[in-house]
Structures are given as structure tokens and as C-alpha cells.
């Protein structure tokens, strides 16, 4: 006999963030909701006056629909046949009212109360590849500058002093050497990592073509995060968008680097999803899993530059193959017992069940750019995010000329840090607005000439939220998240 669906709720836990599976699966819960046929008190009626407002979201599950209070991101997965009973009875609004203040406070903290704790640092404007979708202008990637070692050490000293004043004692901010290609400034980068080893948690995002044995061993000895970019499971796919300036693919070098780094816990792989590789995402997941990759990002391309805009995928196709890739990751976990966590989707799940545990800040508004992290270019220019480094009007100043505290409060930054979905149509009325965030402001600006517009991939992000709810309804939450993801949920830096 089929098991009758039970409600699943996002109420904050009293003790544990998640419990159980199957019947009685709960997201972030503290109590079980029950429908009540008696009429609720008038102060608990929904959708009128000052009463809670709940929207119904079709998630594509045969058993459940989502009931969502969008301002606080509170949600319940109600048995489909009983959704109206839950909405009209007293228990749902009463349970929400009891936790409303905490839910609202948690949302305010995540959106407006976090301290800057990370920097994306481009030590070089140049790149030895000419990827079709790069967020940096082509001229800079061909003929741009490298930051000299002495200048890079000076920059990190400025940053270290800033964070010592603004973060709790003992906290180590994250600093990711990004690009263009950071290993074109390898000597400067490695000197800086040695000098400031105790002050930052370092990472390097690289195309892997310059990641020789010496570089690999140095980074591993430092315990640095190593991010590698690979867009396809075969040369025919991967080399469509990632090529040298002479038009040659680099698939063999990238795969060799993956093999050399097998088993390294700091390894992460990024695949940029475009119209050129979208149909190969399930096979790419299989390839990553065979290669022993445990953490990967399948990032839809940003249209910040013209090349990226030309490669934007059809949203329906993106949803179809992205979800097939997620399904395949789950199947591989069931077959092998070994997870491949797709980080951008895992982050959305965390946004649903434990908003303060988000590891990425692209799916909330304001986004993390300028308020949780910022970017520094090879000339010392400071922008809210790496995506804005190619947009000079969003440079808040120069690290070597202006106090960082002043740069972070310039209009170039506040335009981004005050961009909220409540001021964007149609986002202001979207029930999943706090599970999407209308990304990416740099991309939105490049396409529309202003910040107050929805995401170019709006339909996809809405579909992804529905898929996430289906994942929870199916009892698969832990399968898609990092092991021990519940640990340290309260360890959050607040201004």
C-alpha cells in the first residue's frame, strides 16, 4: 500500500537541521504540521491585512506542492490533495507566526548582515587562452599587465590589515587568485602565498595549462584550493569554447592535471554551461565521477561580454539537460556510494534548508558582490566582483591610492549592494525570489544598461527551484550535499 505523503517544512530546528527520510521527511523543522478542520482565529487567517501571505507553487511532484511565505523564505511541502486544508486551517499560520521573527532575522543577516570575508584577486590581466565566453575584455587578455611581486605583496599587506580590523580575531579570509590566468604571474603569486600563509586561506582558479609538477606540489603543500576549468567530457566538446589564441584545444593538458590531482581534497572543477556543451552535461558528470572529482560547478555562462551573450543556451534545454546531469549524479552516488557534489545546486538546497550555510552568494539578493567579497584587478582596481572588472564604471577606486573602507562604500559598490529583488519586476512578486536572487548584476547591466532587470536565465532559475523542492520531497537532500554539511551552521561572521 502506498505511503500517504506527510508535510515537509522549513521551520527552524530546535536541535538538528535535518532528520529522517521517506515518510515524515523534514527539511529544517521543529514540529510536525497537521491540518485542522476547525476555523482558525481571525488573527491567523492568511492572505489578508497583516496576516501571513502564502503562495502555492507547483513543483512537479505527484505528491506535493509547496506553500511558501516568500518574504522570509519559509516553506512547507504539503500533500497535494490537502494543500487547501493546510492553508485554511490554523496550524500553518500559527507555526509560522511562532518562528516568524527568527526567520526574518536569519534572512536579514544573510542578505544584509555579513562581513566581507573573501577576495578574488586577478594578478594578471592576460591569459594564454581565448575562451569564447570570458568575462574580461579581449584586449586586456591579450596585452594586459601583470602585477609585479613587490606590488602583489604590498596589496596583500593592505588586505590583511583591513581584514584584521574588520573580522573577528583569528578569522582568516579567503583569497582566490583568479583570472584571466593567475599562473602567468606565478612567481608573484607563490611569493605572496608564502609570505601571508597564516593570514589568508588561499585558492587558485586556473586553466591548468601552466600547472606543472612544481606548481602543483607547491599549491598542495600550501593546502590551497585548486580550481580547474573543463567544459566537456571529450576534446570535441571541451575545445569548442576553450582554445588558445591560435585556435588549439587544451583538453589533454586539463585532463592530465585532473589525473595528477586525483584525491586532493582541495580540488574543484568548474564547467561553464553554454549552448555548445549543454547536451553533454550528463556525460560530463559521468566523466567527472570516473576521474574521482568530488566537487564541481556547472555554471551557466554569464553574458557580461559579447562572447558570453552569444553562447547563452536556450532556457528550456538548459533545464532539461542540467536536471538530467543532476539525476545522473544521484544515480552514480547510489551505484558507487561516492558523491559528486554539484556545488551551485547544492548551494540552492542550502538556501532552502539552512540559508545561513550558503557557500556561494549568487542566488540571493543582494548578491555577495561588494558585500561579502570583492575583486582586485592587476592594476589595483577594486570592483564588487570579478564580473565587474571589465566594466570600469563599477571600479570603486584603487587599492594603492584609496583606503579600502572608502572604496567599499562608493556608489560603484552601493549600486550593487542595494540591488534587491523587491525593486525588480517581475521578481518582486516571484515566490522563489529568495532562492534565485536575479543573478548576475554585471550580466544584467551589460545586457540592459541598468541593474533593475531580472536574470537573463530567469525561467531556468525558477525551474531549478522547483527541482530543488522535488529533491527534498523525494528524500534526496543529503545525497546532493557535502558530507557533514550541518556542521558549523551558526559560525557566520556578522557585522
Amino acid at each position: 500500500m502506498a505511503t500517504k505523503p506527510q508535510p515537509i517544512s522549513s521551520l527552524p530546528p530546535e536541535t538538528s537541521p535535518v532528520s529522517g527520510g521517506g515518510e515524515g521527511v523534514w527539511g529544517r523543522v521543529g514540529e510536525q504540521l497537521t491540518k485542522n478542520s476547525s476555523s482558525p482565529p481571525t488573527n491567523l487567517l492568511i492572505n489578508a491585512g497583516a496576516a501571513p501571505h502564502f503562495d502555492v507553487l507547483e513543483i512537479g511532484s505527484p505528491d506535493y506542492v509547496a506553500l511558501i511565505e516568500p518574504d522570509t523564505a519559509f516553506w512547507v511541502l504539503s500533500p497535494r490533495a490537502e494543500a487547501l486544508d493546510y492553508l485554511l486551517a490554523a496550524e500553518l499560520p500559527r507555526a509560522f507566526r511562532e518562528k516568524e521573527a527568527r526567520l526574518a532575522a536569519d534572512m536579514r543577516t544573510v542578505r544584509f548582515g555579513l562581513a566581507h570575508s573573501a577576495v578574488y584577486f586577478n594578478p594578471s590581466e592576460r591569459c594564454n587562452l581565448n575562451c569564447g565566453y570570458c568575462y574580461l575584455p579581449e584586449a586586456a587578455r591579450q596585452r594586459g599587465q601583470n602585477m609585479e611581486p613587490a606590488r602583489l605583496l604590498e596589496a596583500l599587506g593592505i588586505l590583511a590589515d583591513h581584514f584584521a580590523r574588520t573580522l573577528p580575531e583569528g578569522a582568516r579570509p579567503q583569497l582566490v587568485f583568479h583570472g584571466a590566468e593567475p599562473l602567468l604571474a606565478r612567481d608573484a603569486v607563490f611569493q605572496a602565498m608564502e609570505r601571508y600563509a597564516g593570514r589568508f586561506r588561499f585558492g587558485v582558479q586556473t586553466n591548468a595549462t601552466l600547472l606543472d609538477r612544481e606548481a602543483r606540489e607547491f599549491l598542495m603543500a600550501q593546502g590551497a584550493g585548486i580550481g580547474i576549468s573543463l567544459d566537456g567530457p571529450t576534446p570535441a566538446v571541451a575545445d569548442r569554447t576553450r582554445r588558445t589564441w591560435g585556435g588549439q584545444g587544451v583538453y589533454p593538458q586539463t585532463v592530465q592535471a585532473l589525473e595528477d590531482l586525483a584525491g586532493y581534497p582541495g580540488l574543484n572543477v568548474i564547467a561553464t554551461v553554454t549552448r555548445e556543451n549543454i547536451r553533454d552535461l550528463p556525460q560530463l558528470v559521468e566523466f567527472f565521477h570516473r576521474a574521482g572529482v568530488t566537487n564541481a560547478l556547472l555554471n551557466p555562462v554569464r553574458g557580461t561580454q559579447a562572447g558570453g551573450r552569444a553562447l547563452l543556451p536556450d532556457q528550456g534545454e538548459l533545464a532539461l539537460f542540467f536536471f538530467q546531469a543532476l539525476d545522473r549524479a544521484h544515480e552514480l552516488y547510489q551505484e558507487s556510494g561516492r558523491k559528486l557534489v554539484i556545488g551551485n545546486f547544492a548551494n540552492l538546497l542550502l538556501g532552502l534548508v539552512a540559508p545561513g550555510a550558503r557557500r556561494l552568494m549568487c542566488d540571493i539578493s543582494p548578491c555577495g558582490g561588494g558585500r561579502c567579497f570583492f575583486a582586485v584587478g592587476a592594476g589595483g582596481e577594486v570592483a564588487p566582483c570579478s564580473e565587474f572588472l571589465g566594466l570600469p564604471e563599477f571600479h570603486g577606486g584603487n587599492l594603492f591610492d584609496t583606503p579600502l573602507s572608502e572604496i567599499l562604500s562608493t556608489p560603484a559598490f552601493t549600486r550593487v549592494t542595494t540591488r534587491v529583488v523587491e525593486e525588480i519586476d517581475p521578481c518582486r512578486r516571484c515566490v522563489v525570489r529568495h532562492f534565485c536572487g536575479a543573478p548576475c548584476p554585471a550580466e544584467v547591466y551589460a545586457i540592459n544598461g541598468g541593474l533593475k532587470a531580472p536574470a537573463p536565465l530567469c525561467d531556468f532559475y525558477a525551474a531549478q527551484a522547483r527541482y530543488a523542492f522535488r529533491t527534498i520531497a523525494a528524500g534526496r537532500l543529503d545525497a546532493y550535499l557535502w558530507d557533514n554539511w550541518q556542521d558549523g551552521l551558526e559560525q557566520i561572521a556578522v557585522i
Side-chain angles (χ1 to χ4, degrees), residues 21-345:
E23 183 177 5
V25 181
W26 300 96
R28 287 192 305 140
V29 302
E31 56 192 279
Q32 180 167 337
L33 299 179
T34 59
K35 68 179 186 294
N36 187 333
S37 59
S38 61
S39 298
T42 55
N43 67 335
L44 290 178
L45 292 171
I46 64 168
N47 298 352
H53 184 101
F54 284 90
D55 288 316
V56 180
L57 178 68
E58 171 59 67
I59 65 169
S61 163
D63 298 320
Y64 291 100
V65 296
L67 311 178
I68 304 174
E69 198 288 316
D71 287 338
T72 60
F74 166 85
W75 54 267
V76 170
L77 294 183
S78 164
R80 175 180 290 275
E82 301 168 7
L84 188 60
D85 292 335
Y86 280 101
L87 284 171
L88 297 182
E91 188 62 27
L92 175 60
R94 179 182 291 116
F96 169 73
R97 282 297 198 203
E98 289 176 357
K99 306 291 186 180
E100 181 180 13
R102 177 178 170 185
L103 290 165
D106 288 348
M107 185 58 66
R108 283 194 301 272
T109 296
V110 170
R111 298 183 68 195
F112 306 111
L114 303 183
H116 296 97
S117 60
V119 184
Y120 292 90
F121 202 115
N122 287 23
S124 176
E125 291 180 317
R126 299 179 187 178
C127 192
N128 57 338
L129 301 188
N130 183 28
C131 301
Y133 49 72
C134 187
Y135 66 90
L136 293 169
E138 182 174 312
R141 289 183 284 118
Q142 280 188 304
R143 300 179 294 276
Q145 62 182 313
N146 286 347
M147 188 174 280
E148 294 299 322
R151 199 64 159 162
L152 184 54
L153 290 172
E154 181 184 355
L156 263 63
I158 294 171
L159 293 170
D161 289 345
H162 170 78
F163 287 121
R165 293 190 300 269
T166 59
L167 289 179
E169 184 177 357
R172 284 199 303 160
Q174 184 176 38
L175 193 148
V176 179
F177 289 109
H178 213 260
E181 175 48 52
L183 292 183
L184 287 173
R186 166 175 165 163
D187 290 346
V189 167
F190 287 4
Q191 286 183 41
M193 291 178 70
E194 287 184 318
R195 174 78 63 86
Y196 289 95
R199 303 291 294 276
F200 295 98
R201 293 175 293 116
F202 285 111
V204 174
Q205 180 63 40
T206 175
N207 60 38
T209 60
L210 304 176
L211 195 63
D212 59 23
R213 178 177 178 180
E214 182 182 1
R216 187 172 66 251
E217 290 180 351
F218 174 84
L219 293 172
M220 294 171 68
Q222 293 289 321
I226 303 176
I228 290 177
S229 300
L230 179 64
D231 290 352
T234 64
V237 177
D239 293 343
R240 290 172 187 165
T241 51
R242 301 188 60 81
R243 297 187 293 266
T244 67
W245 291 97
Q248 299 299 309
V250 295
Y251 178 87
Q253 298 97 306
T254 310
V255 172
Q256 183 62 56
L258 278 182
E259 293 175 358
D260 292 338
L261 289 165
Y264 180 57
L267 174 65
N268 183 67
V269 184
I270 295 179
T272 299
V273 181
T274 71
R275 63 172 63 244
E276 294 290 346
N277 65 352
I278 187 172
R279 293 174 177 268
D280 297 281
L281 293 183
Q283 292 75 29
L284 182 58
V285 162
E286 291 179 352
F287 175 87
F288 286 160
H289 195 269
R290 284 197 306 273
V293 175
T294 57
N295 293 283
L297 298 173
L298 302 181
N299 286 341
V301 63
R302 298 294 193 207
T304 310
Q305 297 289 329
R309 292 193 288 278
L311 289 167
L312 284 168
D314 173 82
Q315 296 192 65
E317 277 201 324
L318 175 58
L320 174 64
F321 291 106
F322 187 87
F323 300 156
Q324 285 184 8
L326 293 175
D327 290 342
R328 186 60 184 135
H330 181 262
E331 292 169 357
L332 291 168
Y333 173 53
Q334 295 299 108
E335 294 167 6
S336 69
R338 182 165 50 84
K339 291 182 184 178
L340 167 60
V341 176
I342 306 302
N344 45 316
F345 178 67

